[in-house]
Amino acid sequence: AQKITQTQPGMFVQEKEAVTLDCTYDTSDPSYGLFWYKQPSSGEMIFLIYQGSYDQQNATEGRYSLNFQKARKSANLVISASQLGDSAMYFCAMSLNTGFQKLVFGTGTRLLVSP
Amino acid sequence: DAMVIQNPRYQVTQFGKPVTLSCSQTLNHNVMYWYQQKSSQAPKLLFHYYDKDFNNEADTPDNFQSRRPNTSFCFLDIRSPGLGDAAMYLCATSRGLAGGNEQFFGPGTRLTVL
């Protein structure tokens, strides 16, 4: 079974600085996808970035990049130039590419960006 | 804009009084999901529909039911809510079941049980 581990319950960063949110995963399946979602206090889950297990390059989406280290089974999210609006809960999730795509979430990291 | 809509955003019900939460989508996606998220926890999948094909997670209590009358709408029925059912309920959609299909989430319905 898949498992996602986020070891940082909370992170603090100053505005305009970069921050890395950690995520490690465990699966024996070679084909899978990794996702990061942002959940503000309003509650909705906002998709940020996706990395496929066979993708050769690290995914990037604007200020978000995913530091994918397959051998270490890690998929850390890097947010560059943090903004106050980045304060939220961040969830790492994965799904297998075969059969039903069930998203398995980590426990989340709460990010607080200070002025 | 294409989106996932949930109504109501906040729902208060009494212990044991049936309640229905609504989700609609304009994305024309084949798959719709219902998640339960309790405070400070990760979302937990309750069930999903692939078209009209209903799939229940093994540990979803019988108290939770779902209906999908058409592609656009999906309902979550809680037959006899208990205090432990107070949570955020998230609806999501995806184009297909295969990997790499991003799930699009609605804003959620926060359920309070008195």
Side-chain angles (χ1 to χ4, degrees), chain B residues 21-40:
Chain B
L21 309 182
S22 169
C23 177
S24 64
Q25 54 131 342
T26 60
L27 298 161
N28 204 32
H29 281 173
N30 294 315
V31 192
M32 295 187 78
Y33 309 81
W34 279 104
Y35 289 86
Q36 179 193 62
Q37 186 180 22
K38 295 190 176 179
S39 183
S40 302

Side-chain angles (χ1 to χ4, degrees), chain A residues 37 39 42 47 97 101-102 106, chain B residues 37 42 57 97 99 101 103:
Chain A
Y37 284 86
Q39 188 176 40
S42 56
F47 167 75
N97 288 346
Q101 181 223 21
K102 176 175 176 174
Chain B
Q37 186 180 22
E57 290 298 297
L97 289 173
N101 274 292
Q103 290 190 19

